[in-house]
Amino acid sequence: MKHEIGQQPAIFADLLAAQEQFAEVAAVIAERRPRFALLAARGSSDHAALYAKYLIEVLLQLPVGLTSPSTTTLYGARPDLTDVLLLTVSQSGGSPDLVAVTESGRASGALTVAVTNTTDSPLASAAELSLNIRAGAEQAVAATKTYSATLLALYLLIDAIRGGRAALARTLPDLAATTLADPADPVEEAVQRYRFAGRMVTTGRGYSLATAHETALKLAETSYLSARSYSGADLLHGPVAAIDAETAVLALCSAGLGGESTREVVEAVHQRGADICAIGSAASKTPAAHRIPVPESAEEIAPILEILPAQQLALGLALARGIDPDNPRGLQKVTKTT
């Protein structure tokens, strides 16, 4: 896990160098002019799909929905998907339910695009078009580099659909290298601060919500923490009642509209006595007991940077708690659901 976390700056550089594959797929999508988009995914890829949902709605101004694969696999639903873009996101490309959704969607008129790290997978074969996230073989059970590579691949695709050339992401490899190097002390301090924590809440808004969800998953699967994630808005609608001085809250706070809105939520949670750790480029402006800074970037690519110290934190907490993060109990690299 530690090795694969460290590979991410180079993977980002490789993805940016392979921009033409995204431009080619984007050109087909733009020519088809989809009336809305559907996203299908599971696990970490589902969080990446949520990130894509924000990108498509904000940057392309298209309505987006997240599919429920069981409506296809269990209930046999076959909605008319004429003029719909169906993006299926899967690191392994081997989940039977996602393959089934893609096959059904294609038969029902959708333009199907697979976003995967396995180019010869059943999913890539089922879709009309496919994109390789180019992360290389991932040995650790907990996804790290494949998650961030999927985020960047989705950004490159969606930016290309609107005619962009990834200008905002050009410095991402350098920013990622800085992020992984600079927060070593703040991350280690956070490890010592939370190594005995019993429960954590992660929160964020906008683009960063996806990485808040992914952070909770990393903490749960590597450190066996009871970790829950909420949109900042949803957190105040009820779950805040369960937050007190015994609760650790990890808040994703980037510079931009989502981070500004999250800061307001954090202020409300802070008043309840929660121990808050702010992660992101706006961490210094957030009321928190501990902060892990991240270099500032365009808001739409900030989640790609924010997940890096979160992964380091999950790794550090697992080791501090005497857990092998590469062999989490009850988990396998590929989860096959039907």
Side-chain angles (χ1 to χ4, degrees):
M1 183 176 176
K2 180 179 180 180
H3 176 66
E4 290 171 355
I5 289 173
Q7 290 180 326
Q8 291 171 102
I11 291 169
F12 298 162
D14 180 60
L15 269 171
L16 287 164
Q19 188 177 350
E20 284 309 310
Q21 73 155 326
F22 299 97
E24 291 171 4
V25 173
V28 176
I29 296 171
E31 183 179 2
R32 298 278 189 94
R33 298 180 62 84
R35 55 193 172 95
F36 66 88
L38 285 174
L39 301 163
R42 294 286 195 193
S44 289
S45 294
D46 197 36
H47 303 153
L50 177 60
Y51 170 70
K53 182 178 188 295
Y54 276 88
L55 289 174
I56 293 170
E57 289 183 346
V58 176
L59 304 185
L60 301 184
Q61 300 286 298
L62 281 177
V64 184
L66 298 175
T67 66
S68 299
S70 60
T71 61
T72 297
T73 59
L74 297 184
Y75 299 101
R78 297 291 186 272
D80 181 3
L81 299 183
T82 304
D83 298 328
V84 171
L85 169 63
L86 174 61
L87 279 174
T88 307
V89 186
S90 173
Q91 294 150 12
S92 70
S95 184
D97 58 350
L98 296 180
V99 173
V101 167
T102 303
E103 291 173 339
S104 174
R106 188 172 181 178
S108 298
L111 170 58
T112 53
V113 180
V115 181
T116 179
N117 195 42
T118 312
T119 55
D120 59 351
S121 64
L123 177 62
S125 298
E128 181 177 344
L129 303 169
S130 66
L131 286 169
N132 180 6
I133 68 169
R134 304 174 67 90
E138 190 171 54
Q139 302 301 319
V141 173
T144 53
K145 64 179 183 176
T146 52
Y147 172 74
S148 60
T150 301
L151 294 190
L152 180 54
L154 289 166
Y155 173 77
L156 293 175
L157 173 64
I158 293 162
D159 182 58
I161 293 171
R162 65 171 179 168
R165 298 291 296 176
L168 296 179
R170 289 297 170 194
T171 60
L172 191 59
D174 291 337
L175 293 176
T178 299
T179 301
L180 288 172
D182 285 356
D185 289 339
V187 169
E188 181 55 35
E189 290 170 10
V191 168
Q192 298 307 316
R193 187 178 189 92
Y194 301 118
R195 63 182 300 181
F196 299 112
R199 57 194 173 103
M200 283 191 176
V201 168
T202 64
T203 189
R205 293 202 71 183
Y207 298 109
S208 294
L209 177 58
T211 287
H213 288 336
E214 177 65 10
T215 299
L217 175 61
K218 288 284 106 43
L219 292 168
E221 66 185 355
T222 60
S223 304
Y224 309 155
L225 271 164
S226 177
R228 294 289 303 273
S229 60
Y230 299 97
S231 158
D234 290 335
L235 184 59
L236 297 183
H237 274 263
V240 70
I243 292 179
D244 55 24
E246 301 299 316
T247 309
V249 176
L250 303 184
L252 281 299
C253 302
S254 66
L257 297 175
E260 291 174 10
S261 181
T262 298
R263 188 162 62 248
E264 298 172 3
V265 174
V266 171
E267 288 171 354
V269 173
H270 179 67
Q271 293 174 5
R272 300 188 64 85
D275 189 302
I276 299 169
C277 177
I279 300 175
S281 56
S284 63
K285 301 177 182 178
T286 303
H290 188 68
R291 297 177 178 86
I292 301 176
V294 171
E296 186 169 342
S297 66
E299 184 179 5
E300 52 261 54
I301 63 170
I304 307 173
L305 296 174
E306 290 166 347
I307 192 57
L308 304 181
Q311 292 169 348
Q312 290 178 314
L313 177 59
L315 170 64
L317 282 172
L319 295 174
R321 293 158 74 99
I323 300 167
D324 181 356
D326 291 337
N327 292 286
R329 62 192 182 202
L331 296 182
Q332 298 177 353
K333 185 61 188 167
V334 179
T335 302
K336 294 189 175 183
T337 50
T338 58

